[in-house]
Amino acid sequence: TDQGRVYVWGNHGDKSPRFVATLGDVKELAVGSHHVMVLDTSGKVFTFGRGEEGQLGLKDGAKTADAPTAVDALKNLEIVHIIAGSDNSFALTAEGKVYVWGGGSFGKNGLGVWAPQNVPVQVTALGDHKIRRIGAGMTSTLFLTEKGEVFWSGANLRDGSHIMSPKLW
């Protein structure tokens, strides 16, 4: 809402909106297929929902969280933007660094592996490029730099190829 409040429904049989009282002032929300990410005004990231691929990013490896739970691995970073893919999650720092966790199929996480990540990992293959926006889909990810360049990783469904580490488009 305009007041930074979050309401959810559709999970656990909720047929009407339910207020999520455990959150403070919310700056941004991102929603994947089965998980929700929240960035509050202090820069803290929370996740909840289902996370079979690790997209919740919780240190205990939890696959479900009914209530918003802090992603502790990001607590010392200045997070300014969050992005939810279908089964993965991204956080962007004020310095333009990208952190990712969750499903990595097709190489979409940009980490050079297909394996899912249970906790946030920096996408170091982007080097010194300062990322300003991220677009995350089911099979690929786009990274927009401050210079207007676009890098991508994941599946090219037109020809069946996969790029495991971000490549300039």
Side-chain angles (χ1 to χ4, degrees):
T1 67
D2 290 343
Q3 295 79 32
R5 293 176 165 226
V6 175
Y7 292 83
V8 297
W9 63 95
N11 193 20
H12 304 294
D14 293 333
K15 293 183 180 173
S16 56
R18 176 177 50 90
F19 174 61
V20 181
T22 59
L23 292 170
D25 290 330
V26 174
K27 175 182 176 185
E28 195 170 282
L29 289 172
V31 180
S33 294
H34 299 286
H35 74 293
V36 177
M37 299 176 69
V38 179
L39 176 64
D40 72 12
T41 55
S42 73
K44 197 169 187 179
V45 177
F46 299 86
T47 58
F48 62 104
R50 290 194 346 239
E52 290 82 8
E53 296 294 318
Q55 62 265 46
L56 298 179
L58 304 178
K59 65 182 174 186
D60 62 1
K63 301 297 183 195
T64 61
D66 291 333
T69 306
V71 180
D72 289 335
L74 301 172
K75 69 181 174 187
N76 294 322
L77 299 169
E78 185 181 352
I79 304 300
V80 296
H81 189 51
I82 53 172
I83 305 87
S86 60
D87 64 355
N88 59 358
S89 303
F90 294 86
L92 184 62
T93 71
E95 296 81 28
K97 300 297 180 191
V98 176
Y99 288 80
V100 63
W101 60 102
S105 59
F106 307 103
K108 65 186 173 186
N109 284 349
L111 298 174
V113 296
W114 278 56
Q117 302 295 315
N118 288 322
V119 294
V121 176
Q122 185 178 351
V123 182
T124 57
L126 290 166
D128 292 332
H129 295 283
K130 292 185 179 179
I131 304 303
R132 290 295 167 233
R133 289 286 181 227
I134 301 168
M138 185 178 289
T139 61
S140 58
T141 305
L142 300 174
F143 304 92
L144 176 66
T145 72
E146 69 179 353
K147 294 180 181 177
E149 301 165 311
V150 176
F151 286 80
W152 73 280
S153 64
N156 179 343
L157 298 180
R158 294 188 190 272
D159 68 9
S161 65
H162 302 98
I163 300 296
M164 303 295 285
S165 294
K167 176 182 177 182
L168 185 62
W169 191 345

